[in-house]
């Protein structure tokens, strides 16, 4: 049976495919030009989900935006003879699916959402609200309590850890006019924290609020201590060639630096661990732990998704150095359990961008762009138990 949204259905263009992994499910979102009628069903041996879009088409080939996913293997699509468009999601194992359409909201257009629920990872069923209804009076106090727990779960704020790079004896990069990276990124970090704290359902934690030196892993520790849902490290870029400009967004690479420039950058940022006189062998245990957990694909996929949204935001306000999310081995991104991104806000070595970096109104633009990226990401994928997820 064809399922339509709000009773209306037209022919639609399938514009893009997005994927949001969570521990118990993977959410697949199709961005559409309008409402569609669709059928979604699972097929076994081999495991797959088939989605037929009535009177629809896709101009561009649909590709999986994530490199690795626990449930998704690949996507295939084809136009069918009856004018419908078929998308097949090849899976690693059988799943249960839930599907629904969403209308335009918060900068998003029409969407079809398919949740792939991993039955092995699905959370246990909540205690039933109605459970105590017909029981003896003696047990009612207990069931009343249960009922309250179910109907009024304690919701928490999303925590965003904001890390102003460098600090103290480590000034970071500097510009011709003497602007120091550690100062501008602290100023931007404070503004971003204020903006996040003014956003309902969100709370910011700064790794440093003053001009102090902080070893890289200490920054991750602070984020973890506050149970951060997201870690954002702010930096300003430097290069020998002073005409190089634009912002970049990094996530941790799986196999080290992805390009020569990225490797150069990674070395520069990592060097801070030694500047502070921190001996690596004292942190061996954490390092080991971090390396083992690098395989946590869900966190890496989440990092890539949020990085993409932030990069989109930055693209709206000015030049980006690299139009795609970059991968590098920055130590500060190595939290195995917190989606983490590093933003090179601009090139401090470019005189034009150096002026921008110290300009409060440009700082505000940067903050707005980053904030926009974060909220867009969380509007799609808010961790369970947060006020934003409940909305
Ligand atoms: Zn830096």
């Amino acid at each position: 049976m064809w399922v339509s949204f709000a009773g209306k259905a037209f022919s639609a263009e399938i514009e893009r495919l997005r994927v949001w992994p969570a521990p118990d499910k993977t959410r697949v979102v199709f961005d559409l030009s309008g409402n569609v009628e669709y059928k979604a069903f699972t097929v076994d041996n081999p495991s797959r989900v088939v989605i037929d879009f009535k009177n629809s088409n896709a101009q561009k080939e649909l590709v999986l935006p994530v490199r690795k996913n626990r449930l998704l293997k690949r996507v295939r699509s084809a136009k069918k003879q009856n004018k419908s468009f078929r998308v097949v999601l090849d899976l690693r194992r059988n799943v249960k699916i839930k599907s629904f359409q969403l209308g335009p909201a918060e900068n998003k257009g029409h969407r079809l959402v398919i949740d792939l629920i991993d039955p092995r990872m699905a959370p246990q069923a909540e205690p039933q609200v109605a459970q105590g209804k017909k029981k003896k009076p003696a047990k009612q106090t207990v069931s009343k309590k249960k009922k309250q727990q179910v109907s009024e779960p304690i919701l928490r704020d999303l925590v965003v850890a904001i890390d102003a790079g460098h600090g103290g004896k480590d000034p970071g990069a500097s510009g011709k006019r003497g602007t120091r990276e550690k100062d501008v990124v602290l100023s931007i970090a404070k503004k971003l924290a204020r903006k996040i704290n003014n956003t309902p359902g969100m709370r910011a934690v700064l790794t440093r609020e003053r001009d102090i030196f902080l070893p890289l892993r200490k920054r991750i520790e602070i984020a973890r201590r506050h149970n951060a849902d997201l870690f954002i490290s702010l930096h300003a870029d430097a290069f020998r060639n002073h005409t190089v400009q634009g912002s970049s967004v990094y996530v941790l690479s799986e196999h080290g630096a992805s390009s020569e420039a990225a490797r150069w950058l990674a070395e520069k940022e990592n060097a801070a661990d030694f500047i502070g006189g921190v001996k690596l062998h004292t942190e061996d245990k954490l390092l080991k732990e971090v390396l083992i957990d690098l395989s946590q694909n869900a966190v890496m996929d989440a990092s890539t998704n949020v990085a993409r949204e932030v990069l989109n935001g930055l693209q709206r306000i000015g030049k980006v150095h690299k139009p795609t999310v970059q991968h590098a081995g920055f130590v500060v991104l190595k939290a195995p359990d917190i989606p983490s991104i590093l933003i090179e806000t601009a090139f401090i070595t470019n005189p034009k961008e150096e002026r921008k970096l110290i300009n409060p109104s440009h700082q505000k633009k940067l903050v707005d762009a980053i904030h926009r990226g974060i909220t867009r990401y969380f509007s799609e994928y808010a961790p369970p138990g947060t006020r934003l997820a409940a909305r």
Side-chain angles (χ1 to χ4, degrees), residues 147-348:
K147 186 172 176 172
Q148 264 175 2
Q149 278 172 6
V150 173
S151 56
E152 296 164 30
I154 298 156
L155 297 172
R156 63 175 184 88
D157 283 338
L158 272 163
V159 179
V160 181
I162 303 165
D163 174 51
H166 311 276
K169 66 183 96 177
D170 166 25
S174 55
K176 246 187 178 152
R177 298 156 61 114
T179 309
R180 293 176 305 185
E181 181 182 1
K182 66 171 182 177
D183 299 324
V184 283
V185 294
L186 180 60
S187 168
I188 296 166
K190 283 179 173 171
K191 285 192 172 83
L192 181 59
R194 217 172 301 140
K195 177 123 186 155
I196 284 171
N197 286 331
N198 284 330
T199 309
M202 281 197 202
R203 187 163 66 81
V205 172
L206 285 160
T207 55
R208 67 178 179 95
E209 288 176 68
R210 292 175 294 124
D211 184 18
I212 51 161
F213 178 80
L214 213 51
L216 295 171
R217 286 196 177 81
K218 182 89 188 160
R219 298 166 189 258
I220 300 178
E221 255 178 68
I222 294 169
R224 190 173 295 117
R225 205 165 59 225
H226 287 91
N227 295 316
D229 297 287
L230 178 63
F231 179 89
I232 298 180
S233 192
L234 295 171
H235 289 260
D237 227 332
F239 203 69
R240 290 175 289 263
N241 179 344
H242 293 173
T243 61
V244 173
Q245 59 174 329
S247 35
S248 321
V249 182
Y250 285 83
V251 297
L252 185 63
S253 62
E254 248 173 320
H255 308 290
S258 63
S259 70
E260 201 57 43
R263 191 173 301 128
W264 185 78
L265 262 162
E267 276 168 14
K268 185 189 60 177
E269 304 293 3
N270 292 350
D273 242 352
F274 300 100
I275 294 165
V278 177
K279 284 165 197 135
L280 253 179
H281 70 260
T282 59
E283 301 190 333
D284 254 9
K285 215 178 122 197
L286 181 59
L287 178 65
K288 236 186 256 168
E289 193 186 297
V290 162
L291 287 172
I292 291 163
D293 285 329
L294 277 184
S295 60
Q296 289 209 328
N297 292 321
V299 169
M300 307 244 320
D301 287 348
S303 302
T304 306
N305 282 329
V306 70
R308 209 174 279 139
E309 294 289 2
V310 168
L311 190 66
N312 280 343
L314 291 169
Q315 259 160 348
R316 288 164 164 256
I317 62 158
K319 279 232 162 62
V320 292
H321 179 51
K322 293 277 170 63
T324 54
V325 172
Q326 300 296 297
H327 296 83
F330 295 134
V331 168
V332 83
L333 294 179
K334 287 189 174 177
D337 45 0
I338 309 168
S340 304
I341 63 171
L342 185 144
I343 304 170
E344 298 281 7
T345 48
F347 277 84
I348 203 168

Side-chain angles (χ1 to χ4, degrees), residues 18-29 69-70 100 102 106 108 111 113 115 156 158-160 201-202 228-230 297-307 309 337-340 373-391:
R18 290 176 289 138
V19 175
W20 310 92
D24 58 331
K25 70 177 177 204
T26 292
R27 172 162 288 185
V28 178
V29 181
N69 181 275
R70 216 181 43 241
F100 52 95
L102 293 168
E106 284 187 45
K108 307 261 182 191
R111 287 152 289 166
V113 179
D115 280 340
R156 63 175 184 88
L158 272 163
V159 179
V160 181
M202 281 197 202
D229 297 287
L230 178 63
N297 292 321
V299 169
M300 307 244 320
D301 287 348
S303 302
T304 306
N305 282 329
V306 70
E309 294 289 2
D337 45 0
I338 309 168
S340 304
I374 299 170
T375 49
R376 275 178 67 109
Y377 167 72
F378 281 127
S379 75
E380 198 76 41
Y381 173 60
T386 57
R387 253 179 268 283
L388 242 68
R391 228 173 264 166

Side-chain angles (χ1 to χ4, degrees), residues 53 55-58 77-86:
F53 296 85
N55 293 325
S56 300
N57 207 351
S77 55
K79 188 101 183 106
K80 286 176 68 190
Q81 280 181 342
N82 61 359
K83 281 190 186 168
S84 72
F85 189 81
R86 170 165 285 187

